[in-house]
Amino acid sequence: MIKNIVFDFNGTLVDDLDVSIDALNECIKKYLVDVELVSKERYLEIFRFPVGPLYQELGFDFTKIDYNELANFFISYYQSRAFNECKLFDEVIPVLKSLKNEGFKLYILSASYIDLLIEMLKKYGILEYFDGLVALENKHGGSKIERGKAYFAEHQIDPSECIMIGDTVHDIEVAHELGMDCISYDKGHNSHSKLKSINPKVISSLFEIRNHLN
């Protein structure tokens, strides 16, 4: 029986796709020469975690470009626009209210930096809906899987009583590694077809979550 619903954040609750693509392309313009910018269509097919190998495929040579410098540039650009331009998906607040009223415990499991995540949740007015936040302790990435395992163990959460809502192939992988089922949301960072090729449970509206909880 599902008691806990674990949400990804970026691309699942907040629509940050365009800003994320622009941030990636700003990195390409700053650090690379004669490399084609990434279109939205291409991004939706190639985006994945960890991002390091993806960046290398795009032409970033980490023997010549410092990864931390690149990450800081990306984060700085992203943050300069995210707070003003990135909005919650329209269904988020009514869906969170409904699930909370039905007695589900709600969590976020995100690859975001924890301080930034909290700041954004406060800005959007949805921090109060969540029973726990699982995010990364530094700005340069890390493993959602390891953070999730540690949190579940510490708080004695049974993964078989959880379902994850995420927008990427990586979220499917994370859910399976943690022993959870997964619902994929197709308005985020991977295309519907890419998600559907791996996970039969793909939704186009967060209101559809309820159809998969019985």
Side-chain angles (χ1 to χ4, degrees):
M1 180 178 178
I2 298 298
K3 299 179 180 178
N4 310 294
I5 302 177
V6 182
F7 288 90
D8 174 54
F9 182 65
N10 301 89
T12 301
L13 298 178
V14 63
D15 183 3
D16 68 342
L17 177 61
D18 289 339
V19 171
S20 298
I21 295 171
D22 287 349
L24 172 58
N25 282 328
E26 288 298 316
C27 290
I28 291 174
K29 288 190 281 188
K30 180 176 175 65
Y31 290 100
L32 303 180
V33 178
D34 295 329
V35 173
E36 184 179 355
L37 298 182
V38 177
S39 67
K40 180 181 288 189
E41 291 74 19
R42 184 183 178 203
Y43 179 92
L44 292 172
E45 298 304 322
I46 67 172
F47 180 76
R48 66 185 187 277
F49 287 99
V51 296
L54 169 60
Y55 275 58
Q56 288 176 309
E57 287 182 18
L58 292 172
F60 293 90
D61 183 349
F62 294 133
T63 65
K64 299 177 180 178
I65 301 169
D66 181 73
Y67 180 79
N68 288 333
E69 179 185 337
L70 176 66
N72 284 331
F73 179 80
F74 181 100
I75 292 167
S76 177
Y77 180 89
Y78 177 91
Q79 291 180 348
S80 73
R81 292 181 55 190
F83 284 98
N84 293 323
E85 297 182 39
C86 297
K87 308 297 183 184
L88 293 177
F89 288 105
D90 291 341
E91 318 101 293
V92 168
I93 290 178
V95 166
L96 294 180
K97 282 183 178 179
S98 176
L99 293 172
K100 200 70 178 171
N101 288 339
E102 290 185 58
F104 292 101
K105 288 193 173 183
L106 308 182
Y107 298 87
I108 288 180
L109 175 56
S110 173
S112 296
Y113 175 46
I114 184 64
D115 290 350
L116 174 62
L117 176 62
I118 292 172
E119 191 174 353
M120 294 187 80
L121 291 173
K122 288 179 178 178
K123 173 189 182 298
Y124 297 130
I126 59 172
L127 180 61
E128 65 190 75
Y129 292 107
F130 294 98
D131 297 276
L133 306 177
V134 190
L136 304 182
E137 300 296 332
N138 65 74
K139 296 182 179 180
H140 304 305
S143 172
K144 288 170 70 171
I145 294 172
E146 295 308 314
R147 292 287 298 129
K149 284 181 178 178
Y151 188 90
F152 280 17
E154 179 182 355
H155 295 273
Q156 298 183 324
I157 297 172
D158 183 352
S160 69
E161 297 177 341
C162 303
I163 194 165
M164 184 164 186
I165 318 298
D167 66 295
T168 66
V169 169
H170 184 59
D171 291 319
I172 302 169
E173 296 167 346
V174 169
H176 291 170
E177 282 289 329
L178 294 176
M180 295 186 283
D181 197 0
C182 183
I183 300 170
S184 296
Y185 181 52
D186 70 0
K187 295 296 187 289
H189 291 253
N190 279 146
S191 69
H192 181 98
S193 59
K194 190 172 185 68
L195 296 168
K196 193 74 171 180
S197 69
I198 299 172
N199 183 16
K201 297 178 181 177
V202 181
I203 61 175
S204 297
S205 166
L206 295 175
F207 287 118
E208 298 175 56
I209 291 172
R210 197 64 191 82
N211 299 337
H212 297 280
L213 297 181
N214 296 326

